[in-house]
Amino acid sequence: MTTNWLGKVWRPLIAILLFIGLWEAATRLFAIEKWLLPAPSDIVMEAKSVIPVFMPHVGSTVQLSVAGFLIGTTVGLGVATVLHLMPRVRETFFPFIILSQNMPIIVLAPLLVIWFGFNPLPKLIIITLACFFPIAVSALGGFTQTNRELVHYMKMMGANKAQLFWKLELPHAIPAIFSGLKIAGTYSVMAAVVSEWLGAQKGIGVFMTLAASSFRTSRVFVAIIVAMIISLAFFGLILLLEKFFIRWQQKGENA
């Protein structure tokens, strides 16, 4: 298992190391100012010195991301279920859902602050909006792609709409739902950082804004790298959950 894992990651690992080496060499060779583009070694040194100050900001962003992701997941799955079970509602409101995604979320930020003030609610709404769409669309696609022959078979056996949904359509939609969850998990961190620019006491977005205003570019890179690591951690966690659920589902089908 370890050999298989190493076989998959060694190529991207070498590419990342090569990129970092070229970056380090370019900044030294062309004597680029640190405030403009710091070398990777400078970013590492800055990360070591700033960790005690930075960790409370990281904790705040993680809490906000998780809360927004859970709300977005619940709303997305709920809306997808309603639209799937009520075709007329889907025909009426699905175009509005598509149109809502054509508006950049950051444009809504000032309005949300005017309506709800400088409290966690506008930030949670932004994260929820970012997470809701990929989950709703993925789940809806998963529901509608259920094997039609199995649907007809269950209907012939006398299954009602609720039995069809819980025993056939929902289990078959699990891989599609997890595809949406993986996208939403990474979006949640990005949306949390952006939402903190609206005004907050703590968070990676706040830390990044303060660092940028004082031209501490190394700190901005530290914030960006940590946000990427958190996104990858979310993605990996959801991937593990997906493997667990699909294995459990296969065991249930084979039992």
Side-chain angles (χ1 to χ4, degrees), residues 92-111:
T92 306
F93 291 102
F94 192 67
F96 289 96
I97 295 174
I98 299 293
L99 284 174
S100 71
Q101 296 303 306
N102 291 320
M103 184 184 297
I105 292 175
I106 193 67
V107 173
L108 295 174
L111 286 175

Side-chain angles (χ1 to χ4, degrees), residues 131-152:
C131 296
F132 149 79
F133 186 73
I135 295 171
V137 171
S138 300
L140 197 56
F143 294 148
T144 55
Q145 289 173 6
T146 307
N147 190 322
R148 292 293 99 188
E149 291 183 3
L150 292 176
V151 173
H152 291 313

Side-chain angles (χ1 to χ4, degrees), residues 27-246:
T27 52
R28 303 295 176 194
L29 185 64
F30 298 107
I32 300 174
E33 296 286 347
K34 288 184 181 178
W35 65 269
L36 188 63
L37 180 64
S41 57
D42 294 327
I43 296 170
V44 172
M45 295 302 294
E46 184 67 32
K48 286 181 181 176
S49 65
V50 84
I51 277 179
V53 180
F54 189 41
M55 288 313 291
H57 293 281
V58 175
S60 177
T61 300
V62 170
Q63 286 180 8
L64 194 61
S65 302
V66 171
F69 173 75
L70 292 176
I71 296 171
T73 300
T74 305
V75 174
L77 288 176
V79 168
T81 304
V82 170
L83 295 182
H84 173 66
L85 296 177
M86 300 179 179
R88 289 184 180 176
V89 174
R90 182 175 63 219
E91 291 170 6
T92 306
F93 291 102
F94 192 67
F96 289 96
I97 295 174
I98 299 293
L99 284 174
S100 71
Q101 296 303 306
N102 291 320
M103 184 184 297
I105 292 175
I106 193 67
V107 173
L108 295 174
L111 286 175
L112 293 174
V113 170
I114 292 170
W115 292 337
F116 303 109
F118 292 96
N119 57 64
L121 184 58
K123 302 176 188 63
L124 287 173
I125 292 174
I126 288 174
I127 303 168
T128 301
L129 288 173
C131 296
F132 149 79
F133 186 73
I135 295 171
V137 171
S138 300
L140 197 56
F143 294 148
T144 55
Q145 289 173 6
T146 307
N147 190 322
R148 292 293 99 188
E149 291 183 3
L150 292 176
V151 173
H152 291 313
Y153 178 76
M154 285 195 68
K155 283 181 178 177
M156 287 172 59
M157 296 296 290
N160 57 33
K161 212 167 184 178
Q163 288 171 323
L164 268 177
F165 179 76
W166 289 109
K167 295 187 176 181
L168 183 64
E169 291 169 334
L170 181 59
H172 277 78
I174 284 178
I177 291 172
F178 270 102
S179 296
L181 289 175
K182 284 183 278 190
I183 297 171
T186 54
Y187 280 8
S188 67
V189 180
M190 176 197 69
V193 172
V194 171
S195 71
E196 287 165 349
W197 294 347
L198 296 177
Q201 298 294 324
K202 288 189 297 184
I204 293 176
V206 176
F207 181 87
M208 194 182 290
T209 305
L210 293 173
S213 62
S214 56
F215 290 95
R216 294 184 174 180
T217 314
S218 298
R219 289 194 176 191
V220 176
F221 273 100
V222 170
I224 292 170
I225 292 168
V226 170
M228 290 168 63
I229 292 170
I230 296 171
S231 292
L232 284 173
F234 275 16
F235 185 89
L237 184 62
I238 295 167
L239 198 64
L240 287 175
L241 285 173
E242 180 185 22
K243 288 184 177 178
F244 170 78
F245 270 98
I246 289 177

